[in-house]
Amino acid sequence: MELNWTTFILEILNFLVLVWLLKRLFYRPVQEMIEKRRKSIEQQFENSRKIQERAENLQNQYEYRLEEWESERQAARSNLENELAKESRRLFDKLQDELEAERKKQEVLTERQVKEQLEKAEIRALELGARFAASVLKELRAEQLEARIIDLLLRQLGEISGEKLNGLATVSEQGRQQEVHIVSAYPLNRIQQQKLEECLQKLLSAPLALSFSEDDELIAGLRMTIGPWVIRANLKDELKTFADMARISGKHFV
């Protein structure tokens, strides 16, 4: 084959033109497209990396938060158990105190009931004793005892205090006759009646209208009624008063 330099040069020119055309019309756009694609891939990779980091951070936070929740749960459970233990102990102590108070209350109540039963028994015994003494004394002739009671009454009336004397004197109005009723277990003789009248005359300083009667239930002694005043100096009233005082006070009199 004969080498034709003109053709050769033209072929070189054609090749250079083709290379220029390829570079101008094909290679540069492809390079730009590849570069854009590369940047897009890098951007997606960077976004994926950021997303992964964010996911890892969220996972770490979630795990940390789970650990905190577990710690808080354990602490809350421990506090609840402590509170329950304290409340249980408090309720137990309260129950113990209530039981102790109830026991003491029952002891006091039992002691009071026993004391009341003893007091009732003592009062009953005193009442029976008073009735027995009254029945025994009633069967006896007690004129001498009544005389001694009258003498004692006269002596006590003569020694009556000023305050009581004023109170007794106010029973009768000035210038009006005062009725005095005297009941005795046995008939009073004239001397006894006269002594009583003289003594009452001194005390009341007013005209008197005395009346005398008998009541064997008195056993021995007198019962005088001066207006609203009643002077009891007889065994029946004394024995009854003795039993009544024992019933009211709940004490045993010796």
Side-chain angles (χ1 to χ4, degrees), residues 13-196:
L13 289 174
N14 287 334
F15 177 75
L16 292 174
V17 171
L18 179 61
V19 170
W20 182 82
L21 289 174
L22 289 173
K23 182 178 180 182
R24 183 70 178 177
L25 300 176
F26 179 76
Y27 181 73
R28 183 175 293 175
V30 171
Q31 285 292 102
E32 291 177 355
M33 185 180 65
I34 292 173
E35 183 65 22
K36 289 180 180 180
R37 183 63 179 172
R38 184 184 64 79
K39 290 181 178 179
S40 176
I41 292 172
E42 289 180 352
Q43 184 65 34
Q44 291 178 0
F45 179 77
E46 182 67 20
N47 292 335
S48 299
R49 186 182 63 79
K50 290 180 179 180
I51 292 172
Q52 184 178 2
E53 289 179 354
R54 187 179 301 169
E56 290 178 352
N57 291 332
L58 290 175
Q59 183 178 2
N60 292 332
Q61 292 179 2
Y62 177 73
E63 292 176 353
Y64 178 74
R65 187 57 183 165
L66 284 178
E67 292 178 356
E68 286 186 344
W69 284 346
E70 182 65 20
S71 299
E72 291 175 358
R73 187 180 68 84
Q74 292 293 338
R77 182 176 180 180
S78 178
N79 291 334
L80 180 61
E81 290 177 352
N82 292 333
E83 291 296 328
L84 289 176
K86 290 180 181 179
E87 184 66 15
S88 177
R89 183 63 183 176
R90 186 185 69 81
L91 292 176
F92 179 76
D93 293 340
K94 182 180 179 181
L95 179 61
Q96 289 291 102
D97 294 340
E98 291 177 352
L99 290 175
E100 183 65 18
E102 185 65 23
R103 184 184 65 80
K104 291 181 179 180
K105 182 179 179 181
Q106 290 297 327
E107 288 180 354
V108 172
L109 183 60
T110 302
E111 183 179 355
R112 183 180 302 171
Q113 290 176 348
V114 172
K115 185 177 179 181
E116 289 177 355
Q117 293 296 328
L118 290 175
E119 290 176 353
K120 289 180 180 179
E122 291 179 356
I123 293 171
R124 181 61 178 169
L126 289 172
E127 291 177 349
L128 293 176
R131 291 179 183 177
F132 177 75
S135 63
V136 171
L137 291 173
K138 189 175 181 180
E139 296 296 329
L140 299 176
R141 298 296 295 173
E143 289 94 342
Q144 293 181 355
L145 178 59
E146 183 175 270
R148 296 188 63 181
I149 293 175
I150 293 173
D151 292 338
L152 178 62
L153 176 62
L154 290 172
R155 186 169 64 253
Q156 290 180 348
L157 290 175
E159 297 173 355
I160 193 169
S161 64
E163 181 180 354
K164 293 181 179 180
L165 183 61
N166 293 331
L168 188 61
T170 56
V171 172
S172 60
E173 297 181 3
Q174 294 293 335
R176 291 191 59 182
Q177 190 179 56
Q178 180 65 50
E179 294 184 357
V180 180
H181 184 60
I182 300 175
V183 181
S184 60
Y186 300 94
L188 301 180
N189 57 44
R190 183 57 187 168
I191 297 175
Q192 292 172 330
Q193 293 179 2
Q194 186 177 0
K195 287 182 179 179
L196 287 170

